Amino acid sequence: MTSFRELRRFALLASVTLPMAIAANGVLAQDKPKEHADTPAAAYEPSMTTLGQINVEIPGRKPGDPVITPSEFQAANKVYFERCAGCHGVLRKGATGKPLTPDLTRELGFEHLRDYINYGSPGGMPNWGTSGQMTDEQVDAMARYLLIEPPAPPEFGMAEMRETWKVLVAPEDRPTKKMNDIDIDNLFSVTLRDSGQVALIDGESYEIHNIIETGYAVHISRISASGRYLYVIGRDALINMIDLWMDPPQTVAQIKVGAEARSVETSKMKGWEDKYAVAGAYWPPHYVIMDGDTLEPKKIVSTRGMVYDTQEYHPEPRVAAILASHYRPEFIVNVKETGKILLVDYSDIKNLKVTEIEAERFLHDGGFDSTKRYFLTAANARGKVAVIDTKEGSLTAILETEGETPHPGRGANLVHPDFGPVWATSHLGDETVALIGTDPEGHPDSAWKVVQQLYALGGGSLFVKSHPKSGHLYVDAPLNPDAEISASVAVFKINELGQEEPEYTVLPIGEWAGIAEGQPRVVQGEFNQDGDEIWFSVWNGRDQESAIVVVDDKTLELRHVIKDPRLITPTGKFNVFNTRQDIY
């Protein structure tokens, strides 16, 4: 391991020296740099859903519409839903990415759109053309496609949902006791995103217990309150409910809750354990409450409605993160585009009560503070974090993170030597890490403020991680364009955070993995149950070797490398105990 700040300096320089040009309309357009690095942001956060398989009619022609054949339109529509909708929205209304409706795209013009798609931008737009991920013909067709009114995919209601619902093993036919010798609490559910699978890996022996077929591009894994059931949701909105008591663990129920989705969670309040599951969809924009034992859909609730600040109607408010309250029988539901956080009372779903909290637009990920009372969530396109008191059911604070595009995942909780308990988020757009005070009783002057800003390797961070038994804070940077940075992790010593600008240690995780080909990127640290080791995914191309690297938390030395031909593009990892208990 090495400690070097020149990597951060290089990343900062790289982010500001790309040549720029000003288009006639005043919009920034990128020039043609010789070495515009390919960002994998779209590879990590694409739509990649069944939306891309849906044939839709070309919307009614209007004067000035570009010439586009039906086959070109369908091909462009597929590319948009698979690669662009995750950021720009199914209806092109914008979210993390800018709106791409014809009133805006026609002002930019065909050539600007074509060049933007081809060369990308320093702000995170992938260089689809120059990276080779789109041909010249595809880039040309996409520019024309964006000048036409966006088509709307079909709706997906209860009838369509129930057609997809399958109970593969009925509850009465499942084991009445654990049938395997797996230490379930120290089991890891590992996303194999490009193979449409999850790997169940033993936290002690590092052996793969089972590979389970799931939805495409799995987004997250969540655990039932009892610890028995694993719920996995893919970006194609397919949920797999896996019984961890079976030998081997296997899927016992499935359902598709839409055409595109991101989130699933289960009821955790005492007395309601395993009673319900809930999932949120990107398309159609709704959330679904299901039976916790069978995934039978019980109630679908649309999130279409008015944006909290402008009071204008939005047709596509997508559901992002969902968490289960530990204080009330409620699900906490982030509605991205309208900027609302919903507290959904599941104690009586026939007479559903929902508390609607006005927060900030473009809500994304988030997690609890160390007491599990406060929910901190990023409105990443607005650079803010909203704080919800789940015990009182109200908004506590909204604050600026002082960085560009916060992306906390679930965040990280640690005890700062000066400010007490804090919650951390890193940023996609720069190298900063914000530490936010979370102790209104013990440290009232620091509560709900950025008490310290750390400087890690560079922009492109997706996740931070710590653990109550750890003395470290880990920060990844998988979306950084520099290969050395994206394959490394910055580690801060918590007891040194009181310094003016704390130093960090760099762990060369990619180098430790010993992968000779490709550009492996290191993503998403996850601790084992005991908190004495942390696992990192070394995420490579689909047809290239990937790995999981296990690091000793005390010494910051390599402990083990997990390699297996079945580990295809591993990304997220979810330890059963830590995920169930919301420990991060």
Side-chain angles (χ1 to χ4, degrees):
M1 60 189 173
T2 6
S3 179
F4 49 104
R5 288 196 174 268
E6 53 264 32
L7 285 181
R8 172 161 65 88
R9 181 175 177 274
F10 174 85
L12 287 170
L13 291 173
S15 68
V16 299
T17 56
L18 294 174
M20 303 291 290
I22 304 295
N25 58 11
V27 179
L28 286 174
Q30 188 175 327
D31 198 352
K32 299 181 180 181
K34 294 180 180 178
E35 297 179 356
H36 186 82
D38 177 26
T39 170
Y44 187 82
E45 194 69 49
S47 286
M48 288 189 176
T49 72
T50 50
L51 281 174
Q53 314 306 318
I54 298 172
N55 285 333
V56 293
E57 293 187 8
I58 303 177
R61 296 281 190 176
K62 293 183 178 180
D65 276 1
V67 174
I68 190 166
T69 67
S71 61
E72 285 179 319
F73 182 84
Q74 295 300 339
N77 192 63
K78 182 176 187 296
V79 169
Y80 181 82
F81 284 144
E82 289 184 347
R83 297 181 181 240
C84 313
C87 286
H88 297 283
V90 170
L91 301 179
R92 304 199 330 233
K93 297 287 186 179
T96 304
K98 295 182 181 299
L100 294 173
T101 48
D103 59 318
L104 302 173
T105 58
R106 291 194 176 197
E107 288 187 13
L108 298 174
F110 168 79
E111 291 186 358
H112 177 95
L113 293 170
R114 180 195 60 198
D115 291 345
Y116 206 71
I117 295 167
N118 196 35
Y119 298 108
S121 79
M125 170 73 175
N127 54 321
W128 295 111
T130 58
S131 69
Q133 296 188 62
M134 287 189 194
T135 65
D136 290 343
E137 291 76 16
Q138 286 176 314
V139 170
D140 185 279
M142 287 303 297
R144 285 180 281 138
Y145 170 84
L146 293 178
L147 295 168
I148 298 172
E149 290 290 334
E155 298 294 326
F156 199 90
M158 182 62 81
E160 292 82 2
M161 203 174 293
R162 290 189 75 91
E163 285 183 5
T164 72
W165 173 48
K166 299 176 183 177
V167 178
L168 305 176
V169 183
E172 60 269 22
D173 296 329
R174 297 172 197 166
T176 56
K177 62 180 180 179
K178 191 163 77 78
M179 303 301 291
N180 56 58
D181 60 359
I182 298 172
D183 180 359
I184 291 177
D185 272 350
N186 202 25
L187 187 69
F188 286 75
S189 175
V190 179
T191 297
L192 307 179
R193 55 169 300 119
D194 290 333
S195 63
Q197 300 170 321
V198 293
L200 302 182
I201 304 181
D202 193 283
E204 181 70 25
S205 68
Y206 313 124
E207 294 180 359
I208 298 176
H209 285 294
N210 202 12
I211 301 285
I212 297 176
E213 300 293 327
T214 60
Y216 189 82
V218 167
H219 191 60
I220 60 170
S221 297
R222 289 294 183 261
I223 311 297
S224 67
S226 67
R228 173 172 182 172
Y229 293 112
L230 170 68
Y231 298 80
V232 175
I233 190 166
R235 287 187 167 93
D236 59 359
L238 178 66
I239 300 175
N240 278 55
M241 178 181 172
I242 299 164
D243 187 350
L244 298 177
W245 279 13
M246 298 178 76
D247 188 16
Q250 62 181 276
T251 296
V252 294
Q254 282 184 329
I255 193 171
K256 235 174 110 57
V257 297
E260 182 175 357
R262 292 294 188 275
S263 51
V264 67
E265 182 59 290
T266 67
S267 52
K268 291 182 177 176
M269 183 67 182
K270 187 175 181 180
W272 295 90
E273 297 92 338
D274 296 14
K275 174 70 173 177
Y276 291 118
V278 63
Y282 269 25
W283 188 267
H286 61 219
Y287 60 90
V288 184
I289 299 175
M290 299 160 285
D291 182 90
D293 281 337
T294 65
L295 296 183
E296 179 183 4
K298 296 293 188 180
K299 196 175 194 72
I300 305 173
V301 184
S302 174
T303 54
R304 290 184 171 104
M306 313 307 285
V307 178
Y308 89 95
D309 52 356
T310 63
Q311 297 294 293
E312 294 177 340
Y313 178 76
H314 199 293
E316 190 196 349
R318 298 173 292 175
V319 178
I322 300 178
L323 279 79
S325 173
H326 294 265
Y327 284 85
R328 294 179 171 190
E330 290 178 340
F331 292 123
I332 306 159
V333 179
N334 273 359
V335 185
K336 188 182 286 277
E337 278 74 19
T338 56
K340 297 175 181 178
I341 298 173
L342 310 180
L343 306 182
V344 180
D345 186 337
Y346 54 73
S347 63
D348 182 1
I349 64 172
K350 289 291 185 182
N351 301 284
L352 195 68
K353 296 178 182 178
V354 179
T355 301
E356 184 179 282
I357 297 176
E358 295 184 354
E360 183 56 279
R361 295 178 70 180
F362 313 121
L363 296 162
H364 194 61
D365 282 351
F368 289 118
D369 76 312
S370 58
T371 69
K372 303 180 180 62
R373 173 174 174 173
Y374 296 97
F375 172 54
L376 295 92
T377 183
N380 52 18
R382 292 281 176 93
K384 295 180 181 179
V385 163
V387 184
I388 303 298
D389 183 341
T390 65
K391 183 178 180 180
E392 298 298 328
S394 60
L395 178 69
T396 296
I398 295 179
L399 60 134
E400 301 273 353
T401 65
E402 303 176 13
E404 185 177 341
T405 317
H407 190 286
R410 290 171 288 177
N413 288 301
L414 50 108
V415 179
H416 192 283
D418 296 332
F419 303 107
V422 300
W423 180 87
T425 178
S426 55
H427 295 81
L428 280 167
D430 62 31
E431 82 285 16
T432 63
V433 178
L435 302 183
I436 298 169
T438 60
D439 185 16
E441 294 184 5
H443 298 78
D445 294 339
S446 304
W448 321 128
K449 300 175 183 177
V450 176
V451 297
Q452 188 171 12
Q453 192 175 51
L454 308 178
Y455 297 90
L457 288 170
S461 175
L462 287 173
F463 300 106
V464 290
K465 185 63 66 173
S466 191
H467 188 277
K469 296 180 181 178
S470 172
H472 298 109
L473 172 66
Y474 297 81
V475 186
D476 68 15
L479 302 189
N480 195 284
D482 178 70
E484 191 170 6
I485 293 175
S486 65
S488 302
V489 171
V491 188
F492 292 89
K493 290 183 178 180
I494 294 173
N495 62 9
E496 294 181 358
L497 293 181
Q499 300 175 7
E500 184 175 348
E501 187 172 346
E503 295 288 329
Y504 55 81
T505 297
V506 177
L507 305 185
I509 304 292
E511 178 184 322
W512 286 349
I515 295 174
E517 59 178 349
Q519 184 182 336
R521 298 172 183 272
V522 173
V523 65
Q524 205 264 336
E526 178 75 345
F527 276 89
N528 63 348
Q529 180 187 2
D530 290 338
D532 61 3
E533 64 183 31
I534 182 168
W535 295 25
F536 288 98
S537 294
V538 184
W539 157 41
N540 210 349
R542 175 171 184 164
D543 299 323
Q544 296 168 321
E545 184 179 41
S546 291
I548 295 172
V549 169
V550 182
V551 176
D552 187 305
D553 178 65
K554 302 299 181 188
T555 65
L556 299 184
E557 294 177 348
L558 174 65
R559 181 173 283 189
H560 190 78
V561 177
I562 305 173
K563 287 186 178 180
D564 190 290
R566 296 172 292 174
L567 290 180
I568 299 171
T569 57
T571 51
K573 298 165 300 304
F574 302 89
N575 176 269
V576 166
F577 181 83
N578 293 334
T579 303
R580 185 175 80 248
Q581 298 292 333
D582 287 307
I583 295 173
Y584 28 81

